[in-house]
Amino acid sequence: MFDVVTGGAGFIGSHLVDSLVAQGRDVLVIDSLCAGKRDTIEGHIASGRARLLNRDLLADGWQDSFKGAGCVYHLAADPDVRQSAMTPDPTFRNNIIATYRVLEAMRIHGVPEIVFTSTSTVYGNASVIPTPENYAPFEPVSVYGATKLACEALISAYCHSFGMKSWQFRFANIIGARSGHGVITDFIRKLGEDSQELEILGDGKQTKSYLEVHECVDAMHFARAHARDPVNIFNIGSEDWIDVRSIADILVEEMRLTGVKYRFTGGALGWVGDVPKMQLSIDRLKALGWKPRLGSRESVRIAVQAALAEQ
């Protein structure tokens, strides 16, 4: 029996593949490589512990590969919150339609378990912070958040209708080595173009929770091992938060730059669909016995160092 990881050549997906291989699992990675990179899992392919099927989930030719799989880790998605406000169709198709096609392939081939990566943005601008999993009402403020919430509903329906089990994880901001987007990547690009001035979207006071990617993967495995309901939903994040200006300060310090001026675009929101304050309650995970070893500031510094080393 083997595991399937959709989006397994991407940022979080490739770290997940690392961990599954380390556990002795055989892994089939399905990735279109439009965002993922083969070299992130090349060593596992060479060792024979992982196979790569270069396919788009919106096309055909991958469904029969699910036969004999024990679990699908469905990470493939369009993760660009900002872009979803400008061109929502790709986000809708790559998130909702692709997830439906994954669930159908599981149903046809009898795959019993799915692990799904959702997002804190399903909560929208929550009035309760830290936000628990049972918070209501869900009012996403981005198309991206709405598509992830729709995927959660589809997965729940398939679990109850067809006897599957699911673990659905609502992530805070996950950061670290191999990340190709987000505030750290954006700041490094901007400072590479002009080391004396940094544009910061919004007022720089946006305050959010960040967690280093290895901690995230560890939490996923822990929850799957300790929760066995038909539908298991968990927040994953740190127990604190950090504002955008402080992230800029850490980056400038790690790049050893001096005299950098910050230019703010203004307003509480960095972009359409932005959530200016976000911290997730992780009490449900803590009740099982897991808690993060790193806070937001430590996670940001590790991620910045990794991103600079990759330049």
Side-chain angles (χ1 to χ4, degrees):
M1 190 170 288
F2 60 95
D3 296 321
V4 176
V5 182
T6 71
F11 165 42
I12 300 174
S14 63
H15 287 284
L16 176 62
V17 171
D18 288 346
S19 68
L20 289 170
V21 170
Q23 293 172 13
R25 303 291 299 176
D26 291 320
V27 181
L28 171 64
V29 173
I30 302 178
D31 201 303
S32 68
L33 300 181
C34 63
K37 298 179 181 178
R38 180 187 171 101
D39 61 10
T40 62
I41 57 171
E42 187 64 56
H44 302 313
I45 295 172
S47 72
R49 297 310 304 271
R51 295 175 289 137
L52 173 63
L53 186 58
N54 182 197
R55 294 289 190 278
D56 186 336
L57 295 176
L58 296 176
D60 289 321
W62 53 269
Q63 290 94 329
D64 287 346
S65 69
F66 275 28
K67 186 176 182 180
C71 180
V72 174
Y73 292 82
H74 181 38
L75 280 70
D78 184 340
D80 197 327
V81 180
R82 278 183 273 179
Q83 190 63 35
S84 74
M86 293 180 276
T87 53
D89 186 69
T91 307
F92 175 84
R93 291 175 55 78
N94 286 309
N95 294 1
I96 299 176
I97 301 301
T99 298
Y100 164 71
R101 289 169 63 83
V102 165
L103 288 167
E104 271 294 278
M106 291 178 62
R107 180 183 67 82
I108 291 168
H109 293 290
V111 182
E113 298 182 350
I114 181 170
V115 174
F116 177 67
T117 52
S118 188
T119 168
S120 63
T121 62
V122 299
Y123 297 115
N125 290 308
S127 59
V128 177
I129 299 176
T131 310
E133 292 89 346
N134 61 359
Y135 174 83
F138 289 96
E139 294 183 1
V141 296
S142 66
V143 173
Y144 171 75
T147 64
K148 285 292 192 175
L149 186 56
C151 290
E152 287 191 21
L154 268 175
I155 292 168
S156 175
Y158 266 71
C159 287
H160 289 291
S161 298
F162 305 113
M164 300 175 183
K165 283 188 170 65
S166 70
W167 292 262
Q168 304 185 50
F169 297 112
R170 296 170 183 160
F171 289 167
N173 291 289
I174 308 303
I175 54 177
R178 307 174 193 164
S179 177
H181 74 282
V183 63
I184 293 171
T185 300
D186 186 47
F187 283 174
I188 290 175
R189 177 186 60 79
K190 289 176 177 176
L191 287 170
E193 296 170 354
D194 183 350
S195 63
Q196 294 303 301
E197 182 178 85
L198 176 62
E199 178 193 67
I200 298 178
L201 301 179
D203 58 13
K205 297 178 182 179
Q206 303 96 317
T207 308
K208 306 179 186 183
S209 171
Y210 291 80
L211 185 67
E212 199 274 331
V213 64
H214 291 93
E215 294 269 83
C216 173
V217 171
D218 181 65
M220 292 169 66
H221 288 313
F222 188 93
R224 185 170 175 232
H226 291 84
R228 302 294 301 182
D229 291 330
V231 177
N232 304 276
I233 296 177
F234 293 95
N235 290 333
I236 295 181
S238 62
E239 295 189 274
D240 61 1
W241 51 10
I242 186 172
D243 63 60
V244 173
R245 180 169 188 143
S246 296
I247 295 174
D249 290 342
I250 291 172
L251 187 57
V252 168
E253 178 185 340
E254 289 293 331
M255 294 181 74
R256 294 178 171 80
L257 299 175
T258 58
V260 179
K261 296 180 179 180
Y262 297 160
R263 177 170 57 84
F264 301 95
T265 61
L269 302 181
W271 56 84
V272 175
D274 188 20
V275 177
K277 292 193 181 297
M278 180 276 292
Q279 184 185 349
L280 301 177
S281 167
I282 58 169
D283 286 349
R284 188 174 288 182
L285 259 178
K286 289 173 67 178
L288 292 182
W290 184 91
K291 64 178 182 178
R293 293 163 294 182
L294 301 174
S296 292
R297 183 171 294 273
E298 297 93 338
S299 294
V300 167
R301 190 171 295 278
I302 290 170
V304 166
Q305 291 170 348
L308 293 174
E310 291 167 351
Q311 295 296 301

